[in-house]
Amino acid sequence: GDDQVLTRFNQLQKRKKPVKFARSAIHNWGLYSLESITAGEMIIEYVGEKIRQEVADLREIKYTESGIGSSYLFRIDEGTVVDATKKGGIARFINHSCDPNCTAKIIRVGGTKRIVIYALRDIEKDEELTYDYKFEREIGSDDRIPCLCGSANCKGFLN
Ligand SMILES: Nc1ncnc2c1ncn2[C@@H]1O[C@H](CN(CC[C@H](N)C(=O)O)CC2CN(Cc3cccs3)C2)[C@@H](O)[C@H]1O
């Protein structure tokens, strides 16, 4: 129930799972576990600036124009986005996989929504952490992002 989530979130605040960012076999930088993690455990919060969708749209254009490439934007709900580009935690380095070992959950803590990354299965030390980005399909658009996760069940694209 919610109280367990709260307790575990508070524990997570005190004792984050040790993780590190390093070069990824999937894309550029990725996030890795520094110790084995048990299925269901909270690993890290995706921390950043909470902004309205309209602001996120403008920033997305600015980031793309300034060559930051795709952005560290994480949608919380239809009106809210967390932007980890300028003020963000290292969870922004987690890559997508079609066979992920983590999942990103939106939890409500004291009335505010937060993004927490949980382990979907037992994770070994030094494994790259991944979750399914669940990007919306860009129907008909030509800017599909080819997926490099390398999983047997890879869908071929991120969007
Ligand atoms: N399975 C995958 N297959 C292909 N590409 C992937 C996969 N999974 C993540 N991606 C890329 O990664 C971005 C998500 N990124 C996660 C961390 C990234 N690896 C990083 O080093 O910053 C954050 C965005 C912000 N951008 C900054 C950039 C740095 C270098 C080139 S663009 C990347 C995504 O939007 C994608 O473009």
Side-chain angles (χ1 to χ4, degrees):
D2 289 356
D3 50 331
Q4 283 122 327
V5 171
L6 264 182
T7 316
R8 283 163 65 186
F9 182 76
N10 292 329
Q11 280 162 352
L12 176 71
Q13 296 264 309
K14 290 191 205 80
R15 199 177 36 79
K16 284 183 197 52
K17 285 283 158 205
V19 294
K20 67 175 174 183
F21 74 91
R23 295 303 301 209
S24 163
I26 296 176
H27 176 270
N28 205 31
W29 293 103
L31 203 66
Y32 291 80
S33 59
L34 278 172
E35 65 181 31
S36 61
I37 299 171
T38 310
E41 283 200 273
M42 280 186 185
I43 301 173
I44 187 166
E45 182 185 356
Y46 189 103
V47 176
E49 239 182 310
K50 212 177 269 189
I51 58 177
R52 304 286 313 141
Q53 180 59 55
E54 300 73 31
V55 174
D57 294 342
L58 294 173
R59 289 192 183 185
E60 180 88 70
I61 296 163
K62 196 171 55 132
Y63 294 148
T64 312
E65 278 163 5
S66 61
I68 294 185
S70 58
S71 51
Y72 296 101
L73 295 172
F74 190 114
R75 176 185 312 288
I76 283 194
D77 58 33
E78 63 296 325
T80 322
V81 173
V82 170
D83 182 359
T85 309
K86 292 189 291 285
K87 287 184 277 191
I90 57 172
R92 71 184 188 276
F93 291 113
I94 301 176
N95 284 314
H96 163 88
S97 175
C98 303
D99 177 23
N101 53 19
C102 295
T103 181
K105 290 253 174 290
I106 311 293
I107 64 169
R108 186 177 287 279
V109 180
T112 59
K113 289 182 180 176
R114 293 173 181 258
I115 307 157
V116 180
I117 309 295
Y118 287 80
L120 264 181
R121 59 164 170 76
D122 289 352
I123 298 172
E124 322 247 306
K125 182 176 179 309
D126 294 331
E127 257 196 87
E128 179 165 3
L129 303 177
T130 56
Y131 62 86
D132 183 341
Y133 280 12
K134 296 187 181 136
F135 278 168
E136 287 97 47
R137 267 294 309 276
E138 316 255 342
I139 307 290
S141 73
D142 51 4
D143 58 352
R144 303 288 303 275
I145 307 169
C147 182
L148 305 169
C149 74
S151 316
N153 65 328
C154 179
K155 297 190 189 74
F157 295 95
L158 260 71
N159 58 349

PDB file of all heavy atoms in Angstrom, residues 78-106:
ATOM      1  N   GLU A  78      -0.058  14.183 -18.446  1.00  0.00           N
ATOM      2  CA  GLU A  78      -0.300  14.915 -19.706  1.00  0.00           C
ATOM      3  C   GLU A  78       0.097  16.379 -19.581  1.00  0.00           C
ATOM      4  O   GLU A  78       0.432  17.002 -20.574  1.00  0.00           O
ATOM      5  CB  GLU A  78      -1.759  14.771 -20.170  1.00  0.00           C
ATOM      6  CG  GLU A  78      -2.814  15.330 -19.253  1.00  0.00           C
ATOM      7  CD  GLU A  78      -2.830  14.592 -17.907  1.00  0.00           C
ATOM      8  OE1 GLU A  78      -2.578  13.370 -17.905  1.00  0.00           O
ATOM      9  OE2 GLU A  78      -3.052  15.282 -16.897  1.00  0.00           O
ATOM     10  N   GLY A  79       0.165  16.934 -18.347  1.00  0.00           N
ATOM     11  CA  GLY A  79       0.488  18.365 -18.274  1.00  0.00           C
ATOM     12  C   GLY A  79       1.847  18.667 -17.670  1.00  0.00           C
ATOM     13  O   GLY A  79       2.261  19.815 -17.604  1.00  0.00           O
ATOM     14  N   THR A  80       2.558  17.640 -17.199  1.00  0.00           N
ATOM     15  CA  THR A  80       3.786  17.897 -16.433  1.00  0.00           C
ATOM     16  C   THR A  80       4.962  17.064 -16.926  1.00  0.00           C
ATOM     17  O   THR A  80       4.799  15.879 -17.235  1.00  0.00           O
ATOM     18  CB  THR A  80       3.540  17.525 -14.941  1.00  0.00           C
ATOM     19  OG1 THR A  80       2.218  17.885 -14.559  1.00  0.00           O
ATOM     20  CG2 THR A  80       4.563  18.191 -14.047  1.00  0.00           C
ATOM     21  N   VAL A  81       6.105  17.710 -16.983  1.00  0.00           N
ATOM     22  CA  VAL A  81       7.331  17.046 -17.450  1.00  0.00           C
ATOM     23  C   VAL A  81       8.443  17.337 -16.441  1.00  0.00           C
ATOM     24  O   VAL A  81       8.477  18.416 -15.853  1.00  0.00           O
ATOM     25  CB  VAL A  81       7.725  17.607 -18.839  1.00  0.00           C
ATOM     26  CG1 VAL A  81       9.076  17.084 -19.298  1.00  0.00           C
ATOM     27  CG2 VAL A  81       6.654  17.242 -19.881  1.00  0.00           C
ATOM     28  N   VAL A  82       9.342  16.385 -16.220  1.00  0.00           N
ATOM     29  CA  VAL A  82      10.539  16.633 -15.405  1.00  0.00           C
ATOM     30  C   VAL A  82      11.714  16.817 -16.374  1.00  0.00           C
ATOM     31  O   VAL A  82      11.966  15.954 -17.215  1.00  0.00           O
ATOM     32  CB  VAL A  82      10.809  15.457 -14.431  1.00  0.00           C
ATOM     33  CG1 VAL A  82      12.181  15.607 -13.777  1.00  0.00           C
ATOM     34  CG2 VAL A  82       9.717  15.401 -13.372  1.00  0.00           C
ATOM     35  N   ASP A  83      12.377  17.957 -16.267  1.00  0.00           N
ATOM     36  CA  ASP A  83      13.516  18.254 -17.144  1.00  0.00           C
ATOM     37  C   ASP A  83      14.807  18.119 -16.339  1.00  0.00           C
ATOM     38  O   ASP A  83      15.063  18.896 -15.427  1.00  0.00           O
ATOM     39  CB  ASP A  83      13.384  19.685 -17.699  1.00  0.00           C
ATOM     40  CG  ASP A  83      14.536  20.014 -18.663  1.00  0.00           C
ATOM     41  OD1 ASP A  83      15.411  19.134 -18.867  1.00  0.00           O
ATOM     42  OD2 ASP A  83      14.550  21.139 -19.186  1.00  0.00           O
ATOM     43  N   ALA A  84      15.603  17.102 -16.685  1.00  0.00           N
ATOM     44  CA  ALA A  84      16.860  16.848 -15.954  1.00  0.00           C
ATOM     45  C   ALA A  84      18.071  17.410 -16.695  1.00  0.00           C
ATOM     46  O   ALA A  84      19.214  17.111 -16.327  1.00  0.00           O
ATOM     47  CB  ALA A  84      17.025  15.346 -15.742  1.00  0.00           C
ATOM     48  N   THR A  85      17.826  18.217 -17.706  1.00  0.00           N
ATOM     49  CA  THR A  85      18.947  18.682 -18.543  1.00  0.00           C
ATOM     50  C   THR A  85      19.924  19.557 -17.749  1.00  0.00           C
ATOM     51  O   THR A  85      21.119  19.299 -17.739  1.00  0.00           O
ATOM     52  CB  THR A  85      18.404  19.490 -19.746  1.00  0.00           C
ATOM     53  OG1 THR A  85      17.390  18.717 -20.373  1.00  0.00           O
ATOM     54  CG2 THR A  85      19.491  19.842 -20.736  1.00  0.00           C
ATOM     55  N   LYS A  86      19.384  20.606 -17.090  1.00  0.00           N
ATOM     56  CA  LYS A  86      20.292  21.533 -16.381  1.00  0.00           C
ATOM     57  C   LYS A  86      20.411  21.148 -14.907  1.00  0.00           C
ATOM     58  O   LYS A  86      21.508  21.085 -14.364  1.00  0.00           O
ATOM     59  CB  LYS A  86      19.753  22.970 -16.518  1.00  0.00           C
ATOM     60  CG  LYS A  86      19.840  23.501 -17.942  1.00  0.00           C
ATOM     61  CD  LYS A  86      19.522  24.994 -18.017  1.00  0.00           C
ATOM     62  CE  LYS A  86      18.075  25.281 -17.732  1.00  0.00           C
ATOM     63  NZ  LYS A  86      17.203  24.916 -18.893  1.00  0.00           N
ATOM     64  N   LYS A  87      19.273  20.883 -14.284  1.00  0.00           N
ATOM     65  CA  LYS A  87      19.308  20.495 -12.866  1.00  0.00           C
ATOM     66  C   LYS A  87      18.748  19.093 -12.778  1.00  0.00           C
ATOM     67  O   LYS A  87      17.548  18.891 -12.719  1.00  0.00           O
ATOM     68  CB  LYS A  87      18.436  21.449 -12.028  1.00  0.00           C
ATOM     69  CG  LYS A  87      19.052  22.837 -11.827  1.00  0.00           C
ATOM     70  CD  LYS A  87      18.185  23.693 -10.926  1.00  0.00           C
ATOM     71  CE  LYS A  87      17.091  24.313 -11.766  1.00  0.00           C
ATOM     72  NZ  LYS A  87      16.327  25.361 -11.104  1.00  0.00           N
ATOM     73  N   GLY A  88      19.611  18.093 -12.886  1.00  0.00           N
ATOM     74  CA  GLY A  88      19.073  16.732 -12.871  1.00  0.00           C
ATOM     75  C   GLY A  88      19.984  15.766 -12.143  1.00  0.00           C
ATOM     76  O   GLY A  88      21.162  16.051 -11.924  1.00  0.00           O
ATOM     77  N   GLY A  89      19.416  14.615 -11.790  1.00  0.00           N
ATOM     78  CA  GLY A  89      20.202  13.569 -11.145  1.00  0.00           C
ATOM     79  C   GLY A  89      20.763  12.616 -12.191  1.00  0.00           C
ATOM     80  O   GLY A  89      20.461  12.738 -13.382  1.00  0.00           O
ATOM     81  N   ILE A  90      21.564  11.661 -11.735  1.00  0.00           N
ATOM     82  CA  ILE A  90      22.226  10.781 -12.716  1.00  0.00           C
ATOM     83  C   ILE A  90      21.270   9.745 -13.299  1.00  0.00           C
ATOM     84  O   ILE A  90      21.630   9.057 -14.247  1.00  0.00           O
ATOM     85  CB  ILE A  90      23.474  10.085 -12.145  1.00  0.00           C
ATOM     86  CG1 ILE A  90      23.148   9.266 -10.901  1.00  0.00           C
ATOM     87  CG2 ILE A  90      24.569  11.071 -11.865  1.00  0.00           C
ATOM     88  CD1 ILE A  90      24.340   8.431 -10.444  1.00  0.00           C
ATOM     89  N   ALA A  91      20.034   9.686 -12.772  1.00  0.00           N
ATOM     90  CA  ALA A  91      19.057   8.758 -13.393  1.00  0.00           C
ATOM     91  C   ALA A  91      18.792   9.151 -14.848  1.00  0.00           C
ATOM     92  O   ALA A  91      18.337   8.335 -15.649  1.00  0.00           O
ATOM     93  CB  ALA A  91      17.751   8.764 -12.602  1.00  0.00           C
ATOM     94  N   ARG A  92      19.163  10.392 -15.205  1.00  0.00           N
ATOM     95  CA  ARG A  92      18.925  10.848 -16.594  1.00  0.00           C
ATOM     96  C   ARG A  92      19.792  10.067 -17.586  1.00  0.00           C
ATOM     97  O   ARG A  92      19.551  10.124 -18.793  1.00  0.00           O
ATOM     98  CB  ARG A  92      19.187  12.347 -16.706  1.00  0.00           C
ATOM     99  CG  ARG A  92      20.628  12.781 -16.621  1.00  0.00           C
ATOM    100  CD  ARG A  92      20.735  14.303 -16.642  1.00  0.00           C
ATOM    101  NE  ARG A  92      22.097  14.813 -16.754  1.00  0.00           N
ATOM    102  CZ  ARG A  92      22.918  14.975 -15.734  1.00  0.00           C
ATOM    103  NH1 ARG A  92      22.523  14.652 -14.500  1.00  0.00           N
ATOM    104  NH2 ARG A  92      24.133  15.438 -15.906  1.00  0.00           N
ATOM    105  N   PHE A  93      20.791   9.345 -17.094  1.00  0.00           N
ATOM    106  CA  PHE A  93      21.667   8.590 -18.004  1.00  0.00           C
ATOM    107  C   PHE A  93      21.143   7.172 -18.292  1.00  0.00           C
ATOM    108  O   PHE A  93      21.756   6.427 -19.055  1.00  0.00           O
ATOM    109  CB  PHE A  93      23.084   8.488 -17.422  1.00  0.00           C
ATOM    110  CG  PHE A  93      23.796   9.809 -17.415  1.00  0.00           C
ATOM    111  CD1 PHE A  93      24.112  10.438 -16.222  1.00  0.00           C
ATOM    112  CD2 PHE A  93      24.118  10.453 -18.610  1.00  0.00           C
ATOM    113  CE1 PHE A  93      24.750  11.668 -16.213  1.00  0.00           C
ATOM    114  CE2 PHE A  93      24.757  11.685 -18.609  1.00  0.00           C
ATOM    115  CZ  PHE A  93      25.076  12.298 -17.413  1.00  0.00           C
ATOM    116  N   ILE A  94      20.000   6.795 -17.671  1.00  0.00           N
ATOM    117  CA  ILE A  94      19.502   5.425 -17.884  1.00  0.00           C
ATOM    118  C   ILE A  94      18.972   5.300 -19.308  1.00  0.00           C
ATOM    119  O   ILE A  94      18.202   6.138 -19.779  1.00  0.00           O
ATOM    120  CB  ILE A  94      18.397   5.068 -16.862  1.00  0.00           C
ATOM    121  CG1 ILE A  94      18.923   5.189 -15.429  1.00  0.00           C
ATOM    122  CG2 ILE A  94      17.882   3.647 -17.122  1.00  0.00           C
ATOM    123  CD1 ILE A  94      17.874   4.946 -14.349  1.00  0.00           C
ATOM    124  N   ASN A  95      19.425   4.271 -19.995  1.00  0.00           N
ATOM    125  CA  ASN A  95      19.015   4.033 -21.375  1.00  0.00           C
ATOM    126  C   ASN A  95      17.770   3.158 -21.456  1.00  0.00           C
ATOM    127  O   ASN A  95      17.377   2.515 -20.477  1.00  0.00           O
ATOM    128  CB  ASN A  95      20.161   3.385 -22.161  1.00  0.00           C
ATOM    129  CG  ASN A  95      21.226   4.406 -22.498  1.00  0.00           C
ATOM    130  OD1 ASN A  95      20.919   5.512 -22.946  1.00  0.00           O
ATOM    131  ND2 ASN A  95      22.473   4.053 -22.282  1.00  0.00           N
ATOM    132  N   HIS A  96      17.195   3.128 -22.676  1.00  0.00           N
ATOM    133  CA  HIS A  96      16.002   2.325 -22.946  1.00  0.00           C
ATOM    134  C   HIS A  96      16.406   0.913 -23.338  1.00  0.00           C
ATOM    135  O   HIS A  96      17.434   0.697 -24.003  1.00  0.00           O
ATOM    136  CB  HIS A  96      15.218   2.943 -24.112  1.00  0.00           C
ATOM    137  CG  HIS A  96      14.220   1.988 -24.704  1.00  0.00           C
ATOM    138  ND1 HIS A  96      12.928   1.881 -24.227  1.00  0.00           N
ATOM    139  CD2 HIS A  96      14.345   1.084 -25.703  1.00  0.00           C
ATOM    140  CE1 HIS A  96      12.301   0.939 -24.927  1.00  0.00           C
ATOM    141  NE2 HIS A  96      13.120   0.445 -25.835  1.00  0.00           N
ATOM    142  N   SER A  97      15.602  -0.074 -22.954  1.00  0.00           N
ATOM    143  CA  SER A  97      15.739  -1.427 -23.484  1.00  0.00           C
ATOM    144  C   SER A  97      14.357  -2.023 -23.704  1.00  0.00           C
ATOM    145  O   SER A  97      13.414  -1.722 -22.972  1.00  0.00           O
ATOM    146  CB  SER A  97      16.525  -2.325 -22.517  1.00  0.00           C
ATOM    147  OG  SER A  97      16.529  -3.657 -23.010  1.00  0.00           O
ATOM    148  N   CYS A  98      14.279  -2.872 -24.747  1.00  0.00           N
ATOM    149  CA  CYS A  98      13.024  -3.586 -25.010  1.00  0.00           C
ATOM    150  C   CYS A  98      12.914  -4.792 -24.082  1.00  0.00           C
ATOM    151  O   CYS A  98      11.870  -5.425 -23.990  1.00  0.00           O
ATOM    152  CB  CYS A  98      12.970  -4.014 -26.480  1.00  0.00           C
ATOM    153  SG  CYS A  98      13.132  -2.621 -27.611  1.00  0.00           S
ATOM    154  N   ASP A  99      14.027  -5.115 -23.389  1.00  0.00           N
ATOM    155  CA  ASP A  99      14.015  -6.181 -22.377  1.00  0.00           C
ATOM    156  C   ASP A  99      14.652  -5.591 -21.121  1.00  0.00           C
ATOM    157  O   ASP A  99      15.783  -5.945 -20.749  1.00  0.00           O
ATOM    158  CB  ASP A  99      14.811  -7.387 -22.883  1.00  0.00           C
ATOM    159  CG  ASP A  99      14.895  -8.489 -21.830  1.00  0.00           C
ATOM    160  OD1 ASP A  99      14.015  -8.512 -20.934  1.00  0.00           O
ATOM    161  OD2 ASP A  99      15.862  -9.279 -21.875  1.00  0.00           O
ATOM    162  N   PRO A 100      13.952  -4.637 -20.482  1.00  0.00           N
ATOM    163  CA  PRO A 100      14.567  -3.838 -19.417  1.00  0.00           C
ATOM    164  C   PRO A 100      14.718  -4.604 -18.107  1.00  0.00           C
ATOM    165  O   PRO A 100      14.003  -5.568 -17.854  1.00  0.00           O
ATOM    166  CB  PRO A 100      13.590  -2.674 -19.247  1.00  0.00           C
ATOM    167  CG  PRO A 100      12.264  -3.242 -19.619  1.00  0.00           C
ATOM    168  CD  PRO A 100      12.539  -4.254 -20.700  1.00  0.00           C
ATOM    169  N   ASN A 101      15.665  -4.157 -17.261  1.00  0.00           N
ATOM    170  CA  ASN A 101      15.790  -4.774 -15.932  1.00  0.00           C
ATOM    171  C   ASN A 101      15.179  -3.867 -14.859  1.00  0.00           C
ATOM    172  O   ASN A 101      15.140  -4.214 -13.688  1.00  0.00           O
ATOM    173  CB  ASN A 101      17.249  -5.110 -15.600  1.00  0.00           C
ATOM    174  CG  ASN A 101      18.176  -3.927 -15.771  1.00  0.00           C
ATOM    175  OD1 ASN A 101      17.719  -2.766 -15.795  1.00  0.00           O
ATOM    176  ND2 ASN A 101      19.465  -4.183 -15.902  1.00  0.00           N
ATOM    177  N   CYS A 102      14.689  -2.694 -15.300  1.00  0.00           N
ATOM    178  CA  CYS A 102      14.035  -1.757 -14.373  1.00  0.00           C
ATOM    179  C   CYS A 102      12.730  -1.256 -14.979  1.00  0.00           C
ATOM    180  O   CYS A 102      12.467  -1.465 -16.170  1.00  0.00           O
ATOM    181  CB  CYS A 102      14.936  -0.534 -14.129  1.00  0.00           C
ATOM    182  SG  CYS A 102      16.478  -0.907 -13.292  1.00  0.00           S
ATOM    183  N   THR A 103      11.978  -0.562 -14.119  1.00  0.00           N
ATOM    184  CA  THR A 103      10.778   0.106 -14.609  1.00  0.00           C
ATOM    185  C   THR A 103      10.689   1.463 -13.924  1.00  0.00           C
ATOM    186  O   THR A 103      11.189   1.617 -12.800  1.00  0.00           O
ATOM    187  CB  THR A 103       9.521  -0.752 -14.325  1.00  0.00           C
ATOM    188  OG1 THR A 103       8.375  -0.053 -14.849  1.00  0.00           O
ATOM    189  CG2 THR A 103       9.296  -0.991 -12.844  1.00  0.00           C
ATOM    190  N   ALA A 104      10.105   2.444 -14.609  1.00  0.00           N
ATOM    191  CA  ALA A 104       9.965   3.782 -14.025  1.00  0.00           C
ATOM    192  C   ALA A 104       8.521   3.940 -13.568  1.00  0.00           C
ATOM    193  O   ALA A 104       7.597   3.724 -14.355  1.00  0.00           O
ATOM    194  CB  ALA A 104      10.306   4.847 -15.062  1.00  0.00           C
ATOM    195  N   LYS A 105       8.322   4.254 -12.304  1.00  0.00           N
ATOM    196  CA  LYS A 105       6.963   4.393 -11.767  1.00  0.00           C
ATOM    197  C   LYS A 105       6.754   5.818 -11.274  1.00  0.00           C
ATOM    198  O   LYS A 105       7.682   6.415 -10.702  1.00  0.00           O
ATOM    199  CB  LYS A 105       6.780   3.426 -10.582  1.00  0.00           C
ATOM    200  CG  LYS A 105       6.742   1.964 -10.991  1.00  0.00           C
ATOM    201  CD  LYS A 105       5.316   1.409 -10.896  1.00  0.00           C
ATOM    202  CE  LYS A 105       5.223  -0.008 -11.431  1.00  0.00           C
ATOM    203  NZ  LYS A 105       5.389  -0.034 -12.922  1.00  0.00           N
ATOM    204  N   ILE A 106       5.568   6.340 -11.512  1.00  0.00           N
ATOM    205  CA  ILE A 106       5.234   7.659 -10.941  1.00  0.00           C
ATOM    206  C   ILE A 106       4.567   7.369  -9.602  1.00  0.00           C
ATOM    207  O   ILE A 106       3.544   6.680  -9.549  1.00  0.00           O
ATOM    208  CB  ILE A 106       4.232   8.426 -11.843  1.00  0.00           C
ATOM    209  CG1 ILE A 106       4.680   8.416 -13.306  1.00  0.00           C
ATOM    210  CG2 ILE A 106       4.031   9.847 -11.318  1.00  0.00           C
ATOM    211  CD1 ILE A 106       5.923   9.173 -13.601  1.00  0.00           C
TER     212      ILE A 106
END
